Amino acid sequence: MTACWDVLIVGGGPVGLCAGALLARATGHGPALRVALLQAAASPVDGRVLAVSRASEKILGAAGAWPAIMPHAWAYERMRVWYRGVAASSNEALQFDAAEVGEPNLGYIIETQRITRALMDSFIAAGGEVITADLHGASAEAGAQHPVRVLSSAGELTAQLLVGADGARSAVRSAFGIATRIGSYEQTAVVARLTPGRPHQNTAWQRFVEGGTLALLPLADGSVSIVWSLPEAQARALLAATSTHFETLLLEHSDAVLGTLRLASPRAAFALQRLTADHYIASHCALVGDAAHVVHPLAGQGVNLGLLDAAALAQLCLQAHASGEHLGAQRTLRAYERWRKGENQLMEFAIDAFNRVLAQGVGPVSALARRALGFTNRSALLKRFFIRHALGPAPDLRAWESDPVWQRR
């Protein structure tokens, strides 16, 4: 038996679930869309945390998930970015404070699983259907009312639009023959939760250390989550080190800004790579999040870029739906690609430059970049510019503003 949908999303991570919830919950655009989400049977628990921007907070609110996320979200008010050889409290370090732009905070640190669970609940409550199955193949044919044909272990599924939100190894992207440019950073990120000797001061700390970066992200219970990106061989040594030796190295490389750091969780690691899809769209198909782009975690922008993808695609699809157009029309999909690809590539370029010059660079260019941190810190105008950029672009959420849950925020 064939099941038909308006939109079929593949991938049950935060970005795919957000796109689904936005499409299923939108008001004032005619009959409700029939939205389904296909995800694999075994979804491992992701113990990592995400840095969520203020723009992403608004998107998650429109998706109906923020009320459930908020009690578990820890707002950070300040950022400290510095380079080895200078003190984190000196004028040579870059220090951001939300109060400088009249904002209550710069963003939130949230466990990935909290975001995923809240989005899943919102998606189901809005009438979305979750299909637990493996994707076996996908294709599109012109002229049909539901031109996308998906083969899965649950049977054949058809839709007007297929959304690939299935990560860096996207099966949807492969099925539609979309090429990618992939490169390794030759780094591995070591992650863990630790208990600091001193309060984290609601501050996100990031230090450029030899060969990489070390971020200490504040959590609600007073602990911190670290993301330590460094060359692969060094990462393997850190994973193999005793807890005592690991904590000693961490104290040294964090410049003791939070005092002693004691492990409160097992260590984990993941290889870092960059990925850019040559196209974000194909016939009746769109890619969002890591299926379209993967960036270095040093700026914490990966999920924020993906949520902006989800919001942009949902907005354009709803506009098409209100006008009586086919959801997978090329005009709609081309508008999405033009909108998001340029913005994402600009961010990818900036993050790569920071990683090459500040984290891994040597010589006069790197020295100049280090001095630029101090110069920016002493310029109120530049600091306000960067803070506003870090808060994220204001998404267009008019399609959801009549929703009672959104109004209560």
Side-chain angles (χ1 to χ4, degrees):
M1 181 177 178
T2 301
C4 300
W5 307 95
D6 293 319
V7 182
L8 177 61
I9 299 165
V10 179
V15 174
L17 283 167
C18 185
L22 289 171
L23 287 165
R25 288 171 53 85
T27 58
H29 286 79
L33 291 173
R34 294 170 299 162
V35 185
L37 185 139
L38 180 70
Q39 66 172 4
S43 298
V45 175
D46 192 335
R48 288 177 287 177
V49 300
L50 298 173
V52 173
S53 70
R54 296 293 300 281
S56 291
E57 173 196 355
K58 294 182 173 119
I59 294 170
L60 292 168
W66 189 251
I69 294 171
M70 185 170 58
H72 309 285
W74 189 253
Y76 63 96
E77 301 164 4
R78 290 168 290 276
M79 288 185 66
R80 298 292 182 268
V81 182
W82 77 109
Y83 197 86
R84 61 185 185 276
V86 304
S89 58
S90 74
N91 285 332
E92 298 307 310
L94 188 53
Q95 305 180 39
F96 291 143
D97 195 314
E100 296 178 49
V101 290
E103 294 285 346
N105 59 67
L106 297 175
Y108 303 86
I109 307 299
I110 312 168
E111 292 174 299
T112 303
Q113 60 183 339
R114 299 282 188 187
I115 298 176
T116 303
R117 189 178 308 150
L119 284 167
M120 178 66 80
D121 291 344
S122 180
F123 175 65
I124 294 172
E129 181 166 339
V130 177
I131 303 168
T132 302
D134 295 319
L135 178 71
H136 292 162
S139 60
E141 57 185 54
Q145 176 61 26
H146 293 81
V148 176
R149 181 170 175 264
V150 171
L151 300 178
S152 75
S153 55
E156 182 177 310
L157 310 170
T158 65
Q160 291 189 40
L161 173 66
L162 180 66
V163 179
D166 49 342
R169 298 179 179 178
S170 172
V172 172
R173 190 183 64 224
S174 297
F176 280 80
I178 300 174
T180 59
R181 287 170 285 126
I182 301 175
S184 172
Y185 285 107
E186 299 182 350
Q187 289 179 314
T188 295
V190 176
V191 298
R193 182 176 296 203
L194 296 104
T195 303
R198 292 199 288 268
H200 54 53
Q201 305 166 50
N202 296 344
T203 300
W205 308 81
Q206 181 159 278
R207 190 186 191 207
F208 291 101
V209 297
E210 186 174 358
T213 56
L214 172 61
L216 299 97
L217 307 175
L219 298 174
D221 61 359
S223 65
V224 294
S225 178
I226 66 159
V227 182
W228 193 350
S229 304
L230 67 172
E232 296 163 355
Q234 291 177 242
R236 287 194 298 270
L238 282 179
L239 292 172
T242 64
S243 296
T244 301
H245 185 46
F246 179 83
E247 292 165 355
T248 300
L249 291 172
L250 192 54
L251 177 67
E252 174 190 346
H253 285 83
S254 67
D255 203 22
V257 290
L258 297 180
T260 56
L261 293 160
R262 303 298 181 200
L263 278 167
S265 77
R267 286 160 278 179
F270 56 97
L272 301 182
Q273 65 170 7
R274 66 175 71 84
L275 180 150
T276 301
D278 287 354
H279 301 284
Y280 284 16
I281 62 171
S283 178
H284 306 284
C285 174
L287 304 178
V288 294
D290 285 358
H293 48 81
V294 177
V295 298
H296 196 285
L298 72 86
Q301 288 301 307
V303 73
N304 295 306
L305 295 176
L307 292 177
L308 286 166
D309 291 347
L313 182 62
Q315 177 187 327
L316 292 167
C317 284
L318 292 171
Q319 289 172 353
H321 183 55
S323 301
E325 295 183 11
H326 196 278
L327 288 174
Q330 280 299 101
R331 181 169 69 170
T332 299
L333 298 185
R334 287 195 187 103
Y336 163 70
E337 182 175 57
R338 285 194 302 270
W339 182 355
R340 293 303 304 148
K341 192 173 184 181
E343 291 187 8
N344 288 335
Q345 287 184 333
L346 182 61
M347 181 62 74
E348 291 166 19
F349 175 80
I351 292 172
D352 279 358
F354 267 97
N355 185 57
R356 287 195 307 271
V357 175
L358 281 170
Q360 297 181 299
V362 294
V365 174
S366 181
L368 181 63
R370 292 196 296 270
R371 287 197 292 273
L373 288 181
F375 176 78
T376 301
N377 187 61
R378 292 186 290 273
S379 168
L381 184 63
L382 281 175
K383 285 177 73 172
R384 283 196 295 270
F385 170 80
F386 282 113
I387 292 172
R388 288 294 180 194
H389 191 77
L391 293 173
D396 183 350
L397 300 172
R398 287 172 293 181
W400 297 271
E401 286 174 351
S402 60
D403 186 282
V405 174
W406 177 246
Q407 289 180 333
R408 287 199 296 270
R409 291 192 60 251

